[in-house]
């Protein structure tokens, strides 16, 4: 079973590949995505990573508060978003 992880307070230079690399130290990454503004393409300062549940819990413990590219990351289990109509 997989778990989605929220990664907040990321720097504007942190892209999907660097998230993948950072989290892969804690297990296999299913996907990693840094969110950006649709119109400008600029970073929105957060992203999501999906991993198996055991690896995700390990990554959350290790990386919450971890300084990466000059910013202390906020890492926790992503909450399910309500469907928008």
């Amino acid at each position: 079973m997989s778990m989605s992880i929220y990664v907040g307070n990321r720097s504007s230079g942190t892209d999907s590949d660097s998230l993948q690399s950072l989290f892969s130290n804690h297990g296999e990454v299913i996907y990693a995505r840094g969110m950006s503004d649709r119109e400008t393409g600029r970073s929105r300062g957060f992203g999501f990573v999906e991993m198996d549940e055991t690896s995700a819990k390990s990554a959350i413990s290790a990386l919450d508060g971890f300084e990466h590219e000059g910013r202390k990351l906020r890492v926790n289990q992503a909450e399910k978003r309500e469907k928008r109509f």
Side-chain angles (χ1 to χ4, degrees), residues 5-16 19 23 33-38 40-48 68-69 71-75:
I5 303 167
Y6 168 82
V7 184
N9 200 38
R10 69 183 185 92
S11 75
S12 59
T14 304
D15 61 9
S16 298
L19 282 177
F23 279 80
R33 182 170 180 205
M35 304 305 287
S36 58
D37 185 274
R38 289 181 188 155
T40 66
R42 294 182 66 195
S43 170
R44 293 184 59 199
F46 68 95
F48 296 94
H68 181 67
E69 297 183 1
R71 308 283 296 265
K72 284 193 177 186
L73 299 177
R74 272 194 328 264
V75 181

Side-chain angles (χ1 to χ4, degrees), residues 3-65:
M3 178 185 286
S4 185
I5 303 167
Y6 168 82
V7 184
N9 200 38
R10 69 183 185 92
S11 75
S12 59
T14 304
D15 61 9
S16 298
D17 290 337
S18 60
L19 282 177
Q20 169 101 20
S21 177
L22 178 64
F23 279 80
S24 67
N25 293 322
H26 302 280
E28 183 181 349
V29 174
I30 297 168
Y31 80 85
R33 182 170 180 205
M35 304 305 287
S36 58
D37 185 274
R38 289 181 188 155
E39 293 178 20
T40 66
R42 294 182 66 195
S43 170
R44 293 184 59 199
F46 68 95
F48 296 94
V49 175
E50 186 159 341
M51 305 176 79
D52 71 80
E53 192 170 347
T54 303
S55 298
K57 288 179 181 180
S58 171
I60 290 169
S61 294
L63 298 174
D64 187 38

